[in-house]
């Protein structure tokens, strides 16, 4: 069983899943990611699933679980590259990715993980000042 590579890009961990995962590989990925978040202090986890043909209920729950683990470890999870057929299947199965942000591609996903500019609309909504503090 080959491990899914986890690359570090600044304060973000990038996981590109290019083959359909077996259940054991998915569980191993969960453990590996939790360990890497702790080791590196990563603030973001970007999971590229563009290589997946299908996402079954187990993989959907695993993605949601990774988001929960990441959140507890103070990191945000973004899933990118979801094919329309995968999204339709997930909705039909009643799967929701609670706590998981999504983007169309890696570039847009990385933008979601960038620290908010203190003058951005998001920062203003959060009540941050120019220094980015509340």
């Amino acid at each position: 069983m080959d491990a899914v590579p986890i690359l570090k890009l600044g304060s973000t961990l990038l996981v590109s899943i290019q083959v359909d995962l077996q259940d054991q590989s998915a569980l191993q990925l969960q453990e590996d990611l939790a360990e890497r978040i702790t080791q590196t202090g990563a603030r973001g986890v970007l999971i590229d699933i563009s290589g997946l043909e299908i996402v079954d209920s187990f993989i959907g729950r695993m993605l949601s679980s990774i988001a929960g683990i990441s959140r507890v470890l103070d990191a945000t999870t973004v899933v990118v590259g979801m094919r329309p057929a995968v999204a339709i299947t997930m909705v039909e199965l009643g799967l929701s990715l609670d706590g998981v942000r999504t983007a169309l591609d890696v570039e847009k996903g990385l933008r979601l993980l960038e620290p908010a500019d203190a003058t951005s609309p998001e920062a203003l909504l959060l009540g941050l000042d120019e220094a980015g503090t509340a």
Side-chain angles (χ1 to χ4, degrees):
M1 164 178 62
D2 291 332
V4 176
I6 302 171
L7 307 173
K8 186 172 185 316
L9 297 171
S11 64
T12 299
L13 296 177
L14 172 64
V15 178
S16 183
I17 303 172
Q18 296 301 312
V19 295
D20 290 328
L21 294 177
Q22 301 300 315
D23 291 356
Q24 187 59 40
S25 298
L27 292 171
Q28 187 63 50
L29 174 59
Q30 235 176 258
E31 289 178 29
D32 292 348
L33 259 174
E35 186 175 313
R36 288 290 302 274
I37 292 169
T38 303
Q39 287 173 350
T40 64
R43 301 302 307 249
V45 175
L46 187 84
I47 303 174
D48 179 7
I49 62 168
S50 60
L52 295 181
E53 293 291 329
I54 59 165
V55 172
D56 61 16
S57 60
F58 181 80
I59 298 299
R61 284 191 307 271
M62 184 265 314
L63 290 171
S64 189
S65 179
I66 285 174
I69 292 166
S70 298
R71 205 170 28 256
V72 168
L73 296 173
D74 200 25
T76 303
T77 302
V78 176
V79 173
V80 301
M82 187 177 301
R83 296 173 186 215
V86 169
I88 291 167
T89 300
M90 289 181 70
V91 170
E92 288 174 347
L93 290 172
L95 296 174
S96 64
L97 296 177
D98 295 330
V100 178
R101 299 179 77 182
T102 58
L104 291 176
D105 57 36
V106 171
E107 183 179 354
K108 289 180 177 146
L110 286 171
R111 266 193 253 131
L112 281 177
L113 291 170
E114 289 175 355
D117 175 6
T119 59
S120 70
E122 296 87 359
L124 295 174
L125 285 174
L126 294 172
L128 300 179
D129 61 18
E130 292 297 320
T133 57

